[in-house]
Amino acid sequence: MSMIDRRALLAGAAAMAAATPARAAYPERPVTMIVPFAAGSGTDTVARIVAQQLGTRLGGSVVVENRAGANGSVAATFVARSEPDGHTLFMTTNTSHSANPSLLKSIPYDPVADFTPVARMGNLPFLLVIDPRIPAKSVAELVAHAKANPGKLTYASGNSTGIVAGATFARRAGIEVLHVPYRSTPPAVTDIIGGRISMMFVDITSSLTQVNAGALRALAVTTAERSKLLPDLPSMQEAGIADFDITSWNGVFGPAKMPAEVVQRLNREISAIATDPELVKKFAEIGFDAFAQTPAQLDAFVRAQLVTWARMIKDAGIEPQ
């Protein structure tokens, strides 16, 4: 290639580069992290810790916005219809991405096609808590009390885990308990403490303070084995309810078709948050079991969980609403 040809080639490349707008550094503006439950819920508490840390790592700000309603569908629909530029994120759980397709007759979003998996954050272990005025110190005693008082006990729910766990418990224990749904967990917990509701399956994050204070009585965890966060509390299976294993998971998503480099950056930063020893300890103190997974792992997990939750909902005898 002659010197003249080489100069012409370089000049052409320079002109093309000048004509192609460079992608702006991410983030260009504050990032909004949508939460599908009210302030004070377990997911909200985790989201606020993550948002503060993620903002620092991104060199910008991450703002938490609560959009409760329709069992998480309001928030999910909003995120699905947002611009896929990484400035709208969704910290959610199995409620919107595993259970809703089977709990509800129709939803205005697709939990797989309408979202970009970013990072799985960990699990939110659940407890069975009761009004301490109920004369039961164990699951067996609660079942006996319910059978002696048919139709007089109630259970609250603020999310899909609470709905499915409550229905599963009632069916397998052979007891009659009235379901009272709430828009979110905090007001349900308040009503148990006030004696207006008998019991609830609730995440540790939203109930640990009240349990420690004696305002709620914890009887068991919903996982197959004891939780490392509350090792002295039996599992529902240990307590006599066979094949009871219900875990609430937590993950971060964005709208479908997010740029790969943005997803990779977010996964790297969120994974660092989820595995930082000091933050893992902080998460554990509020009842959250933190760990990290890749976008591909979260995608595969969500697809599998849709099948798992469909089976659990069917086994619990829950009809879509």
Side-chain angles (χ1 to χ4, degrees):
M1 180 182 293
S2 69
M3 182 63 70
I4 294 175
D5 290 339
R6 185 176 292 110
R7 287 175 178 172
L9 181 62
L10 291 173
M16 288 180 64
T20 304
R23 184 184 293 276
Y26 172 79
E28 302 174 55
R29 59 184 184 277
V31 173
T32 300
M33 182 173 285
I34 304 296
V35 173
F37 309 115
S41 61
T43 304
D44 173 77
T45 302
V46 173
R48 292 182 186 276
I49 296 173
V50 174
Q52 190 276 324
Q53 295 290 329
L54 183 58
T56 299
R57 290 177 173 275
L58 293 177
S61 63
V62 179
V63 180
V64 174
E65 182 178 320
N66 302 91
R67 286 181 173 261
N71 215 35
S73 293
V74 171
T77 303
F78 176 82
V79 174
R81 296 174 180 173
S82 298
E83 287 296 318
D85 55 9
H87 292 88
T88 301
L89 300 177
F90 190 28
M91 177 170 282
T92 191
T93 69
N94 43 277
T95 289
S96 64
H97 275 59
S98 301
N100 275 357
S102 296
L103 282 177
L104 305 176
K105 290 181 179 178
S106 65
I107 55 176
Y109 65 91
D110 185 308
V112 174
D114 290 342
F115 297 88
T116 298
V118 174
R120 187 170 169 208
M121 278 289 303
N123 291 330
L124 287 157
F126 269 55
L127 307 170
L128 169 58
V129 298
I130 65 171
D131 176 353
R133 284 160 288 212
I134 294 175
K137 300 292 179 66
S138 68
V139 173
E141 290 181 3
L142 177 61
V143 171
H145 179 74
K147 288 182 176 180
N149 297 273
K152 294 183 179 180
L153 299 187
T154 54
Y155 81 90
S157 69
N159 47 52
S160 67
T161 306
I163 294 170
V164 177
T168 300
F169 173 48
R171 187 170 224 196
R172 294 187 181 172
I175 58 177
E176 187 179 335
V177 189
L178 177 65
H179 178 211
V180 183
Y182 285 74
R183 283 172 58 87
S184 198
T185 295
V189 170
T190 298
D191 279 356
I192 297 175
I193 294 171
R196 290 176 287 277
I197 297 292
S198 307
M199 69 186 81
M200 181 180 187
F201 286 90
V202 61
D203 59 273
I204 295 176
T205 307
S206 299
S207 60
L208 188 59
T209 299
Q210 294 89 342
V211 168
N212 289 337
L216 296 173
R217 180 181 297 145
L219 299 184
V221 294
T222 63
T223 46
E225 299 178 352
R226 296 192 180 206
S227 169
K228 63 183 180 182
L229 302 177
L230 289 170
D232 294 332
L233 206 60
S235 68
M236 290 290 287
Q237 291 192 141
E238 282 183 86
I241 308 301
D243 300 321
F244 200 108
D245 183 11
I246 299 177
T247 300
S248 176
W249 58 266
N250 175 292
V252 178
F253 299 80
K257 300 180 181 179
M258 280 175 58
E261 62 271 22
V262 172
V263 175
Q264 291 165 5
R265 171 83 188 280
L266 285 168
N267 180 266
R268 184 168 65 249
E269 304 299 357
I270 293 172
S271 295
I273 293 168
T275 56
D276 179 275
E278 288 301 315
L279 291 174
V280 168
K281 181 180 178 181
K282 185 174 183 178
F283 284 130
E285 288 171 353
I286 63 170
F288 181 65
D289 182 14
F291 54 83
Q293 284 190 339
T294 66
Q297 287 173 320
L298 177 56
D299 179 60
F301 179 76
V302 168
R303 294 171 188 270
Q305 284 287 291
L306 284 166
V307 176
T308 297
W309 279 81
R311 185 188 70 249
M312 289 195 299
I313 290 165
K314 181 179 179 180
D315 289 347
I318 301 172
E319 293 294 329
Q321 299 298 310

